[in-house]
Amino acid sequence: MDVKATLVRGGTSKCWLFSAVDVPRERGTLEALLLAAYGAADSRQIDGVGGATSTTSKAAVVGRSRRDDADIDYLFAQVGIGERSVEWGSNCGNCATAIALYAVTKGLVPVAGDVTRVRMHHLGTGARLDGLVATPGGAVPVEGHATVPGTEAEGVPVGLSFLDADGRTTGSLFPTGVRRELLRAGSRDVEVTMIDAGAPLVLAAAGPLGLTATETVEELAPHLGDLIDVRAAAAVAMGLRRPDEPVRHAVPKVGIVGPPADHKTDDGRVVLEEDVDLVVRMLSMFDVHPVIGLTSAVGLATAALEGGTLVSAVARPGLDGVVRLGTPGGVVTVTVSEDGDGHREVTVQRAARVIADATIYTPELV
Amino acid sequence: MDVKATLVRGGTSKCWLFSAVDVPRERGTLEALLLAAYGAADSRQIDGVGGATSTTSKAAVVGRSRRDDADIDYLFAQVGIGERSVEWGSNCGNCATAIALYAVTKGLVPVAGDVTRVRMHHLGTGARLDGLVATPGGAVPVEGHATVPGTEAEGVPVGLSFLDADGRTTGSLFPTGVRRELLRAGSRDVEVTMIDAGAPLVLAAAGPLGLTATETVEELAPHLGDLIDVRAAAAVAMGLRRPDEPVRHAVPKVGIVGPPADHKTDDGRVVLEEDVDLVVRMLSMFDVHPVIGLTSAVGLATAALEGGTLVSAVARPGLDGVVRLGTPGGVVTVTVSEDGDGHREVTVQRAARVIADATIYTPELV
């Protein structure tokens, strides 16, 4: 059969986006279509449009929403590479920015002023998130000049925005009741802020650990054990696990922070002190994250703007709603604002570009 | 800008094919277009339609030919991965099969009976080669069930055909004047046939070397030195280099052959003795070739059908124009025929499939 699709880059991912009206509604049939379209059975995806890497074997089905609080409903699919499987349970911030641009480009959401808000509902997890697409002069953008860490390619500025992200996991923004404290981790006391915004995070001051948080991924390698200890202790302190439960390595997110400073990115580009408001190095499981996760960026920016935290203590003084995070991959800019009802909205600046519109032909579906 | 293109799999490669009327004629502008369309500057080709591997970063420009002996002129481009470069000087048999299917599908060449011949002229090297596209019942095929070694994906049967391939490099089919001989290589005499068909080839009998030519790539590794010696000696014997010139490792092609036998492919599939007419293991520079090169397949089949060669001596007796070669990747079928004027045509059976038709949007060209 044949099916229409649009290839959109969101940040450092490529996603084929399908209109909900063009694909089967029944999940098994939809999976068969995606597997055939991507050539998923082959480990090189040589017989389809897949790119045979985790960041280029993503798809989404996008349609108008019937919900009052959303414009768009979408399904996100991680399509198998070398296996006939489709995973629907995860979400992808990069693809969400691609979907927001697609929704505006295809007229699913009318352009509204210089920035068009696309209210998105992820059917896989129930998450609500907003894309803020630059539509300067009220026009649908064909290209833009925004970039994200990880690629020099330019795209249309798209903010990915998290509403009411405070306390989503633990019930409160500061689950331990204080904004800054000494945490016993391994054999020492470490100065940390534990915060639940976007995701539960524990952030340690780099200085007392003999670090600056401008280290390269390589330079940080000998210190990973300390940070893993901090994560394990914080999980208990934040109520994410009982002391007698086994250690989990995915929550909370752990990192170190330091004051603005000149530094180099991992690919050798110079970043000046004046271009960042703080520097940060996060862990992803047992490695240093090459940039920073989107939800971690939300927590960092929130902590930087909340008085009394260790993060606001090291951050550039006088921040006014915009926080520029110096990461190993480059600068990530986060905007924090509040609507009239006191709802906090945290927006990570991203970029997206429409690469191609296509009709995809699949082999006979089996 | 935007440009139309069609993604076609040819064998184990994916190629984006552009119509000559849709792209700039000036080479520099055309290169800029391809670099932008593929996102070539990025090592993951994340901002374009490229697949970021050598077999998925190929393109061709296809148009009607003004030559009497060709229907189609084409340019083949190997597009850079992580660099702004386009290489025009090589050819790609896989893409040539894709181009033949494209030419029939897009109506550049009218369907003619059950098999439609597409006479192709490669502008980069001046080579002429023919694609024989299965058009059963005179209809343009949407899908087919042919496969090639290296992928289980099915496609339309497309034969890639070489006309008058004998003696192209050296001037004669058997450059040493005999069909079978003992060649002094290193410290021993090896029984070989040296032939120039498709490409110059030296083929040794596996048996006297203590081998069967059904070995896996791994099992052959300890014997590579012997074959490299044979190649070096054959180059002199075939007049491809003088004894005082340095050894080149690209010519002639070297391999071992043996009689039909049950064996396993490198990915573990069983091939029965009755499904092959001979078994062969070729070298590619300093490694065992995972399958067999197209031009080597031409030479093997020619040698198998010429009486008095070592290859015909080990091949299944009574071959009648079709030779099934047992390779580490699976069976490659080659057909040899002669037209009324005594011109020999050697056709390697391949498969191709149209994956997508697209409009590709490029960033502003620089």
Side-chain angles (χ1 to χ4, degrees):
Chain A
M1 67 174 283
D2 58 83
V3 61
K4 287 184 181 162
T6 300
L7 180 62
V8 185
R9 176 177 63 87
T12 52
S13 290
K14 275 196 275 200
C15 320
W16 282 99
L17 306 182
F18 299 80
S19 168
V21 301
D22 289 335
V23 298
R25 300 188 78 162
E26 198 274 309
R27 190 63 62 90
T29 317
L30 174 59
E31 284 192 5
L33 171 65
L34 291 177
L35 292 170
Y38 277 62
D42 183 294
S43 61
R44 301 193 304 132
Q45 294 187 335
I46 202 70
D47 197 40
V49 297
T53 70
S54 63
T55 52
T56 58
S57 191
K58 295 166 182 280
V61 177
V62 184
R64 286 198 170 83
S65 181
R66 292 186 183 176
R67 291 164 57 114
D68 289 337
D69 66 345
D71 304 306
I72 293 296
D73 285 344
Y74 74 92
L75 280 167
F76 170 71
Q78 187 74 44
V79 181
I81 301 169
E83 56 180 49
R84 294 181 183 278
S85 69
V86 178
E87 204 260 293
W88 298 98
S90 64
N91 199 358
C92 169
N94 275 326
C95 287
T97 63
I99 291 166
L101 177 59
Y102 170 89
V104 172
T105 303
K106 298 298 181 188
L108 290 171
V109 175
V111 170
D114 286 342
V115 175
T116 299
R117 180 178 294 264
V118 179
R119 300 174 306 156
M120 298 181 284
H121 172 224
H122 176 218
L123 296 167
T125 61
R128 267 275 292 108
L129 59 177
D130 283 9
L132 303 173
V133 181
T135 48
V140 177
V142 173
E143 47 187 289
H145 299 290
T147 59
V148 300
T151 175
E152 292 180 15
E154 298 186 335
V156 174
V158 178
L160 191 64
S161 156
F162 298 78
L163 258 170
D164 287 331
D166 300 357
R168 276 285 176 93
T169 304
T170 63
S172 58
L173 183 59
F174 297 104
T176 63
V178 295
R179 295 178 171 227
R180 178 177 179 165
E181 65 206 279
L182 282 177
L183 178 72
R184 187 76 188 170
S187 58
R188 63 167 131 184
D189 292 319
V190 179
E191 194 175 14
V192 300
T193 281
M194 292 179 265
I195 188 168
D196 177 7
L201 261 72
V202 56
L203 301 162
L209 295 170
L211 299 168
T212 62
T214 61
E215 286 80 10
T216 63
V217 166
E218 207 166 59
E219 288 164 349
L220 266 187
H223 303 275
L224 296 184
D226 291 345
L227 295 178
I228 290 166
D229 285 346
V230 168
R231 180 168 59 197
V236 176
M238 297 173 84
L240 297 166
R241 75 169 169 100
R242 288 198 311 268
D244 58 331
E245 285 178 322
V247 173
R248 292 155 57 203
H249 300 288
V251 286
K253 314 276 189 193
V254 62
I256 53 173
V257 293
D262 292 351
H263 63 279
K264 278 191 179 177
T265 61
D266 273 350
D267 60 0
R269 284 171 295 128
V270 172
V271 177
L272 298 178
E273 180 268 342
E274 66 206 56
D275 293 328
V276 294
D277 297 315
L278 62 90
V279 291
V280 57
R281 297 295 182 265
M282 298 296 298
L283 245 62
S284 170
M285 301 300 283
F286 302 106
D287 293 306
V288 181
H289 195 295
V291 190
I292 188 172
L294 285 174
T295 54
S296 296
V298 169
L300 252 297
T302 305
L305 294 172
E306 284 283 336
T309 71
L310 185 145
V311 182
S312 62
V314 301
R316 182 182 302 280
L319 291 178
D320 189 22
V322 178
V323 184
R324 298 165 303 165
L325 307 170
T327 81
V331 179
V332 174
T333 302
V334 186
T335 308
V336 182
S337 58
E338 236 166 74
D339 68 13
D341 301 330
H343 295 285
R344 172 150 46 197
E345 177 166 38
V346 185
T347 304
V348 185
Q349 294 304 322
R350 308 295 293 166
R353 193 175 79 80
V354 179
I355 295 174
D357 278 307
T359 300
I360 300 172
Y361 309 103
T362 71
E364 212 172 316
L365 299 184
V366 286
Chain B
M1 68 175 283
D2 57 83
V3 61
K4 287 182 181 165
T6 300
L7 181 63
V8 185
R9 176 176 63 87
T12 52
S13 290
K14 276 196 275 201
C15 320
W16 282 99
L17 305 182
F18 300 80
S19 169
V21 301
D22 289 334
V23 298
R25 300 188 77 160
E26 197 275 311
R27 190 63 62 89
T29 317
L30 174 58
E31 285 192 5
L33 172 65
L34 291 176
L35 292 170
Y38 277 62
D42 183 294
S43 62
R44 300 193 304 131
Q45 295 187 334
I46 202 69
D47 197 41
V49 297
T53 70
S54 63
T55 52
T56 59
S57 190
K58 295 166 181 281
V61 177
V62 184
R64 286 197 170 84
S65 181
R66 292 184 182 177
R67 291 164 57 113
D68 289 337
D69 66 345
D71 304 305
I72 293 296
D73 285 344
Y74 73 92
L75 281 167
F76 171 71
Q78 188 74 45
V79 181
I81 301 169
E83 56 179 52
R84 294 181 183 278
S85 69
V86 178
E87 204 259 294
W88 299 98
S90 63
N91 199 356
C92 169
N94 276 326
C95 288
T97 62
I99 290 165
L101 178 59
Y102 170 89
V104 173
T105 303
K106 298 298 180 188
L108 291 170
V109 175
V111 170
D114 286 342
V115 175
T116 299
R117 180 178 293 264
V118 179
R119 301 175 305 156
M120 298 181 284
H121 172 225
H122 176 218
L123 296 167
T125 61
R128 266 278 290 109
L129 59 176
D130 284 8
L132 303 172
V133 181
T135 47
V140 176
V142 173
E143 49 187 289
H145 299 290
T147 59
V148 299
T151 175
E152 292 180 16
E154 298 187 336
V156 174
V158 179
L160 191 63
S161 157
F162 299 79
L163 258 170
D164 286 331
D166 300 358
R168 276 284 177 91
T169 304
T170 64
S172 58
L173 183 59
F174 297 104
T176 63
V178 296
R179 295 177 171 228
R180 179 176 178 165
E181 64 205 279
L182 282 177
L183 177 72
R184 187 76 189 170
S187 58
R188 63 166 132 184
D189 292 319
V190 179
E191 193 174 15
V192 301
T193 281
M194 292 179 267
I195 189 168
D196 176 8
L201 260 72
V202 55
L203 301 162
L209 296 170
L211 298 168
T212 61
T214 61
E215 286 80 9
T216 63
V217 166
E218 206 166 60
E219 288 164 350
L220 267 187
H223 303 276
L224 297 184
D226 290 346
L227 295 177
I228 290 166
D229 285 346
V230 168
R231 179 167 60 196
V236 175
M238 298 173 84
L240 297 166
R241 74 170 170 99
R242 288 198 310 267
D244 57 333
E245 285 178 322
V247 174
R248 292 156 57 205
H249 300 288
V251 287
K253 313 276 188 194
V254 62
I256 53 173
V257 293
D262 292 350
H263 62 279
K264 278 191 179 176
T265 61
D266 273 349
D267 61 359
R269 283 171 295 128
V270 172
V271 177
L272 297 178
E273 179 268 342
E274 66 206 55
D275 293 327
V276 295
D277 298 315
L278 62 89
V279 291
V280 57
R281 297 294 182 265
M282 298 297 296
L283 245 61
S284 170
M285 301 298 283
F286 302 106
D287 292 306
V288 181
H289 195 296
V291 189
I292 188 172
L294 284 174
T295 55
S296 296
V298 168
L300 252 296
T302 305
L305 293 171
E306 285 281 337
T309 71
L310 185 146
V311 182
S312 63
V314 301
R316 182 182 303 280
L319 291 178
D320 189 21
V322 177
V323 185
R324 298 165 302 166
L325 308 170
T327 81
V331 180
V332 173
T333 302
V334 186
T335 307
V336 182
S337 58
E338 236 166 75
D339 67 13
D341 301 330
H343 295 285
R344 172 148 50 198
E345 176 165 39
V346 185
T347 305
V348 186
Q349 294 304 322
R350 309 294 294 165
R353 193 176 80 79
V354 179
I355 295 174
D357 278 308
T359 301
I360 300 172
Y361 309 103
T362 71
E364 212 173 317
L365 299 183
V366 287

